[in-house]
Amino acid sequence: MKEISKFFKFFTLFFIFFSAAHGKILTIGKPDAKVTVKVFSSLTCPHCADFHTTIFNNLKKEYIDKGLVKFEHHAFPLDLAALNAEIIVRCQKNNEKKFELLEAIYNNQKTWALGSDIKKINTLIKKVGLEFDLTEDKMNICLKNSAAQDEILNQRIDAQKKYKIDSTPTVIVNEKKYSGKVNYKKFKKIIEKNL
């Protein structure tokens, strides 16, 4: 009986390890919406947090929830803390909860993205993750998943090559790149023009 129990414990950990922290693009909205908004951001970037809280939430209410816009969050980590925060977001399996966790990480950026002690930063990121049905063990497994890290970093490299990203956030609307600080009123005009 102990052998069976050990086997199931091993199998469960093995499954969690290899299925955890998928590096796929975070997407919300109607898959075939007329407008696709891609945002390349780093979770330690204050301008990215500002974009998320001032533009994304309005965009979600007015366009994404109505099926008019598909939104893609693309990881573009600028440092190890941002990479680890992305991994924690992707550790959550439920897509809606991923976006809620993403928002919480942005909202709490000033409390976890501090200093250079990555162990302390990881502990603070995991505190946020605990509020979204993630366990300490699951987050630790996700953080040790080098395949997830590689996938996120490879997506960053591919995005750099394809879109020539030189700052975060970089916003692409229907494959047209927009840069510079933009408020929601200006962003809404861009969306309306593409509908």
Side-chain angles (χ1 to χ4, degrees), residues 35-90:
V35 178
T36 299
V37 175
K38 299 177 183 180
V39 177
F40 296 84
S41 64
S42 176
L43 297 183
T44 53
C45 159
H47 298 295
C48 299
D50 185 56
F51 177 91
H52 192 83
T53 56
T54 61
I55 294 179
F56 170 77
N57 290 326
N58 288 318
L59 184 68
K60 186 174 182 316
K61 282 182 221 155
E62 291 190 43
Y63 297 98
I64 297 169
D65 291 346
K66 294 177 181 175
L68 301 171
V69 169
K70 178 175 84 169
F71 180 89
E72 297 177 1
H73 165 80
H74 291 257
F76 200 86
L78 299 176
D79 51 44
L80 183 57
L83 175 62
N84 288 351
E86 280 289 349
I87 289 169
I88 295 298
V89 168
R90 291 155 190 249

Side-chain angles (χ1 to χ4, degrees), residues 82-133:
L83 175 62
N84 288 351
E86 280 289 349
I87 289 169
I88 295 298
V89 168
R90 291 155 190 249
C91 198
Q92 172 54 254
K93 297 292 180 217
N94 179 294
N95 197 55
E96 193 173 314
K97 284 198 182 261
K98 279 182 189 179
F99 274 93
E100 291 171 9
L101 177 54
L102 180 68
E103 178 149 354
I105 284 178
Y106 276 134
N107 288 341
N108 292 292
Q109 187 183 73
K110 291 178 182 175
T111 60
W112 66 264
L114 304 169
S116 59
D117 181 351
I118 197 63
K119 287 182 181 179
K120 184 177 179 183
I121 291 168
N122 285 348
T123 298
L124 295 169
I125 295 168
K126 288 188 283 185
K127 278 186 181 179
V128 178
L130 287 170
E131 298 173 25
F132 293 88
D133 301 331

Side-chain angles (χ1 to χ4, degrees), residues 151-163:
E151 190 166 353
I152 291 168
L153 294 174
N154 285 331
Q155 287 173 359
R156 182 184 189 266
I157 291 166
D158 292 344
Q160 176 67 42
K161 288 177 186 174
K162 184 174 181 178
Y163 296 109

